[in-house]
Amino acid sequence: MKKRVIIWFRRDLRLADNPALHAAIDAGFDSIVPVFIHAPDELGDWAPGGAQRVWQHLSLAALDTDLQALGSRLVIRQGPTIAALDALIEESGACAVYWNRLYDPSTIARDKQVKRHLEEANIQAASFNAALLHEPWTVSTRQNTPYKVFTPFWKAIRDDPVRNPLPAPEALPAVWSRIGSEALSDLGLLPDIRWDTGIRQAWRPGENGAHARLETFVNDTLGGYGESRERPAQPGTSYLSPHLHFGEIAPRQIVHRLEEWLHDHGNESHRKHANIFLSEIGWREFAHHVLFHFPNTPDEPLDPRFKHFPWTHDDEALQAWQAGRTGVPMVDAGMRELWATGIMHNRLRMTVASFLTKNLRIGWQHGERWFWDTLVDADLANNTLGWQWAAGCGADAAPFFRIFNPARQGERFDADGAYVRRWVPELSGLPDKHIHRPWAAPQKVLDDAGVTLGQTYPNPIVDLKASRQAALDAFDRIKNT
Ligand code: FAD
């Protein structure tokens, strides 16, 4: 009797180091049906945003191409998931469904239902860990509680051995021609008005793109990562976040590539930079740990005092922030980079988030939601942790009184103004000395640079000093509650 299995792809869009696929091959199934089921309604409020959908479309197309190169193909279906799986089981005669686990609350709830349903129907259901070095329930403090602080969390796991990545299959059985598939274009993942050109130009979604990116990073950047990661004008980080989010590459594969690199170039300095980079992968692990154990955090502050924080409601200011028209160059540059490319440097994410939540005192959930719609790497775990960190109300959060001064951030991390000049070209004629504080520049300097505040570039929508004090006063009102 032929044994057939369905591999349910979700955010594990790769063939190498794919534990579900590997287990199916190992178990000796004669037929493997790779499927992607489009069911955004099942993800509640956190279905993929606009930029993620563009990425998802391109990544699914890449996965199909890679599957075809091995003799298989990607079957695409529309949800509800259980109905789609039932139909595919019926058509293919599959006796098992394998998938890789995800950790967002709505996905966990849906997957539990799917598992129960399959088991009741006598279909084998098996799930695997593809996305993390350590699953959230395998790490706990001595008191057997989840970690809320990064350093002890990372210390507890950073030296654990990481198993070797699994190889990609060399060939796969063909999928019967009678098993139909929807066209990828029917999923409507691409926008009607094509605002996505910048994203397409900046990125190469898919497993091959992910590995090419890792190689570029390891060969050109990793050796100086500890410093270069603080310079938003340079390509000083890995840019792996969207590839990691969609599972086009696994953290395990990254760790192994780093070990290989250290083996070849392992001096003291290289080790230092590699460890800094690895601790960023550690932050990703931590974010998933926190989301798993505190599943309400995408909507609610981890620190309950912040439920009573006096946020302001100012749509005009929110829109100016979203559009990169606040009159504060570092903030505007970051927000415009985000809109154009679907990504924003970490230094800028911290800066614009601090500006929104502290200088404008607009609730962090508004920023979280805007990032969700515009980032190609929008990730419920990392985005939630990042926003709650910046607002001062999350796990291992920056203390509330640590309010970034965006002009000072520019002077430190974009000293020659290259980043601001790229994204806020109307200020490009200003000398380095004034580019981060045009409001303080002498009139003659502004005239020479062709800048008319209030006309060619906005006046700041908020006074940095006064708004900082107002935020501290607001915090005083809740800090002892
Ligand atoms: P690198 O510096 O090369 O880091 C390598 C990888 O480590 C990243 O790809 C990412 O997977 C992980 N990582 C790095 N920093 C963090 C961090 N602080 N928290 C969790 N993981 C991290 N990251 C996302 O992937 N998705 C998000 O939606 C997201 N939203 C954020 C929102 C705010 C307000 C802040 C402050 C940070 C957010 N981050 C988010 C974290 C971080 O900014 C990005 O992961 C990083 O900028 C991605 O660029 P990179 O891949 O070049 O990073």
Side-chain angles (χ1 to χ4, degrees), residues 122-157:
N122 259 333
I123 302 289
Q124 188 203 354
S127 65
F128 302 83
N129 170 21
L132 295 175
L133 299 173
H134 295 269
E135 291 194 286
W137 53 87
T138 62
V139 189
S140 57
T141 65
R142 286 217 182 101
Q143 292 71 42
N144 216 14
T145 54
Y147 282 97
K148 287 188 186 174
V149 182
F150 173 71
T151 304
F153 169 84
W154 187 229
K155 263 195 189 156
I157 58 170

Side-chain angles (χ1 to χ4, degrees), residues 52 203 213 217 225 229 236-245 254 276-288 343-354 367-368 371-372 375-391:
Q52 278 184 78
W203 299 97
R213 169 90 351 253
F217 172 66
Y225 175 78
R229 74 188 184 123
T237 61
S238 72
Y239 296 94
L240 282 168
S241 49
H243 298 290
L244 275 162
H245 173 74
I254 297 175
I276 297 174
F277 179 70
L278 280 175
S279 79
E280 297 304 319
I281 300 293
W283 273 98
R284 178 177 178 274
E285 297 278 316
F286 180 59
H288 284 78
I343 202 82
M344 190 197 292
H345 190 278
N346 184 56
R347 175 64 40 197
L348 274 300
R349 294 190 205 207
M350 296 191 290
T351 304
V352 304
S354 173
E368 181 195 32
F371 271 28
W372 187 257
L375 276 173
V376 283
D377 70 7
D379 180 279
L380 198 61
N382 294 354
N383 199 36
T384 302
L385 188 86
W387 275 98
Q388 291 221 22
W389 180 90

